Each structure stands twice: as C-alpha cells, then as structure tokens.
Amino acid sequence: MDASDGLGSVPILEAMGIRVVEVRPGFARAELPPEPNTNHFGVTYAGSLFSVAEMLGGLLALATFDLDGELAGFVPLVKESTIRFRRPALGVVRAEASLSDDEVARVRESALAVGKGEFVLEATLTDAGGEVVASTTGTYQVRRLG
C-alpha cells in the first residue's frame, strides 16, 4: 500500500475533487477546489475543509511507514480531530501537515513494540492568497488490526 492508493480508497475525497500535490515521508500537501465544495454563502463548505485536512494523516502515514513490510497489518486511523476556522475560504484551498524525523522514529518504535504508534498532526489550510483559513489538530495512530 502506498500513499497514491490513499485518495482512491475513499471515494468521497475524489468526488470532492481533492488533489494530492505532494506526499513524501513525513509530509503531505493537498488542494481542495472551490467546486463542488462551495456552500450556500459562496465560500468553502466547513465539512470539505475538515475532510481535506483530516485525510492528510492517512496519506502521511502511508508515505512514511512501511505498511507493506515491517508494519504489514497496520493501518492508519484517526482517533480525534479538531478544527479552528479562522476566516471564510475562497478559491482553491491548500492543506499541509508534517512530522519530524524524530517523531516518525518514535511512532515506528512504539508500533513495533506495542502494536500501535500514536502521533499528533497539525494541519494548516490556506487560501489562494496564502491566508490561513483554518487549522486542525488530530491524533492519529498506525495500528495493527485483528
């Protein structure tokens, strides 16, 4: 399983037009187009903003951890997530999140030792002008299922 499989495995994300811009170990960035994500006020729908930010945790985990090798049988899960809306979003919204190398190593070691590795991921969402429109904080896990 790799990060490119992540978006296609959740059909609603494709329906929203989310586009993965960059994904590599420890980093994920995606874009959310205005259509079909505009609400009745003409700004980006809050649920769409949340979705593009939340899915970064899964993409980042798929790109960062060897879920086909040493962590085979593990999956990325979201445990908790909050969002803070700062201003109405217009146009294309870019969401990005990253984990440090030290945090990646800690999560990997925990997953191997106890069957799950938990991490907190902060995502920033910006509009076409570079203004922050929202931010999220999510608690994620790579966890062995079964």
Side-chain angles (χ1 to χ4, degrees):
M1 183 183 319
D2 67 30
S4 63
D5 298 332
L7 199 57
S9 67
V10 184
I12 190 67
L13 298 176
E14 286 187 329
M16 292 168 63
I18 292 173
R19 185 173 74 87
V20 176
V21 175
E22 183 179 357
V23 62
R24 64 183 190 290
F27 183 81
R29 178 183 298 139
E31 288 183 345
L32 177 73
E35 293 302 327
N37 300 294
T38 304
N39 68 16
H40 57 290
F41 296 116
V43 299
T44 305
Y45 173 60
S48 296
L49 292 171
F50 180 82
S51 293
V52 71
E54 182 277 330
M55 63 76 121
L56 292 177
L59 280 180
L60 192 143
L62 291 170
T64 303
F65 302 104
D66 185 7
L67 302 181
D68 287 328
E70 71 176 352
L71 294 178
F74 284 71
V75 296
L77 299 171
V78 62
K79 186 175 175 183
E80 175 182 56
S81 188
T82 59
I83 188 165
R84 179 169 182 228
F85 300 102
R86 297 176 182 270
R87 61 185 305 143
L90 296 169
V92 173
V93 173
R94 179 172 279 186
E96 67 179 55
S98 62
L99 279 181
S100 70
D101 290 344
D102 288 344
E103 185 67 352
V104 168
R106 184 197 62 74
V107 172
R108 178 187 164 274
E109 290 168 16
S110 178
L112 290 169
V114 299
K116 65 181 172 182
E118 193 166 283
F119 58 98
V120 173
L121 193 63
E122 295 181 357
T124 302
L125 290 82
T126 55
D127 64 13
E131 294 290 327
V132 174
V133 296
S135 58
T136 63
T137 302
T139 302
Y140 294 83
Q141 293 180 338
V142 287
R143 181 183 186 108
R144 185 185 319 273
L145 287 185

